[in-house]
């Protein structure tokens, strides 16, 4: 398989694609830590192109992965034709994750890569690669430290590809999910220090699924105690305010959320801001660490 360009690329981006292909070809065989997001899907696509049957995509499955994202990951892997496996992860059993400290993502990725390491070793000593991009290196992402401790490679970051460039490249290569919204794991809906349980994760997943089914394409449901706070992109706030000012749609929303176990529901008037819950870290700066999931 070879992905042909459907549109021209700027010289620098074309060079980065050539370099990305070379890096993955040199690593053959590879195991891709594959979430189904735009970044790891691009790595999976180029890994398949360069390594063929030497490429294996693996998705870690736990209550923190929304069911619709799990299904999308399956569909995308099938579209690509890459070998794909799902493995259960048990980060919720680790207090370093379930207590939701500031380094929660480190515990999550440590669990994932603990499981990927023997799979890679059994696959002819495959290298494990992930979808970390150059932008991620400047964010609070403790999971990157866990990945590095296990020797995981980040080819997108290595060739300097930003998130916007990953999308541009994915579109040029004809990957139909190039504009898929970022979807951090469901644990990111809880403020640091709020305990995370399977029940709470499933409640958030069900609330977001309800909103998606109601036609809101990009959404977060932040969980503050028993209160749900809905975040929508700022450009959709006027529509949301108008709709939920009407009695029937508002009552349907409130009834659905109360039935899920929330005691109150509100709309965040600032809108959806990726990384919003990391603001609290500014008051007590952490040592410089790289890592995994946006809040």
């Amino acid at each position: 398989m070879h992905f042909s360009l459907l549109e021209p690329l700027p010289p620098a981006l074309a060079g980065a694609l050539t370099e990305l292909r070379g890096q993955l070809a040199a690593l053959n065989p590879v195991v891709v830590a594959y979430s189904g997001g735009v970044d790891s899907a691009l790595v999976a696509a180029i890994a398949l192109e360069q390594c063929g049957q030497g490429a294996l995509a693996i998705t870690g499955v736990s209550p923190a992965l929304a069911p619709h994202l799990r299904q999308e990951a399956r569909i995308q892997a099938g579209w690509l034709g890459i070998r794909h496996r799902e493995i259960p992860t048990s980060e919720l059993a680790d207090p370093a994750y379930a207590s939701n400290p500031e380094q929660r993502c480190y515990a999550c990725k440590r669990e994932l890569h603990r499981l990927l390491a023997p799979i890679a070793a059994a696959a002819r000593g495959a290298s494990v690669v992930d979808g970390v991009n150059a932008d991620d290196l400047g964010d609070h992402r403790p999971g990157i430290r866990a990945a590095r401790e296990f020797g995981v490679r980040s080819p997108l970051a290595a060739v300097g590809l930003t998130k916007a460039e990953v999308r541009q490249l994915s579109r040029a290569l004809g990957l139909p999910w190039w504009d898929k919204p970022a979807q951090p794991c469901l644990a990111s809906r809880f403020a640091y220090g709020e305990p995370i349980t399977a029940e709470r994760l499933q409640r958030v997943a069900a609330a977001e699924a309800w909103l998606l089914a109601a036609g809101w394409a990009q959404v977060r449901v932040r969980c503050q105690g028993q209160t749900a706070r809905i975040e929508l992109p700022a450009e959709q706030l006027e529509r949301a305010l108008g709709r939920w000012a009407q009695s029937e749609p508002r009552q349907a929303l409130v009834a659905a959320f109360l039935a899920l176990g929330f005691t109150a529901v509100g709309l965040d008037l600032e809108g959806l801001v990726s990384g919003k819950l990391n603001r609290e870290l500014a008051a007590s700066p952490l040592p410089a660490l790289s890592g995994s999931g946006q809040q």
Side-chain angles (χ1 to χ4, degrees), residues 34 36 59 61 67 69-79 84 86:
Y34 168 71
T59 303
V61 176
L69 295 180
R70 179 180 183 180
Q71 182 61 18
E72 287 176 12
R74 290 172 175 169
I75 292 169
Q76 290 169 198
W79 188 93
H84 180 221
E86 296 178 347

Side-chain angles (χ1 to χ4, degrees), residues 163-199:
K163 184 72 170 188
E165 290 171 332
V166 167
R167 292 192 184 279
Q168 185 178 358
L169 192 51
S170 297
R171 183 181 66 190
L173 292 170
L175 304 183
W177 48 81
W178 66 270
D179 60 347
K180 181 178 181 178
Q183 290 285 352
C185 81
L186 294 173
S188 69
R189 312 306 195 260
F190 300 87
Y192 294 118
E194 280 208 26
I196 298 173
T197 65
E199 180 184 13

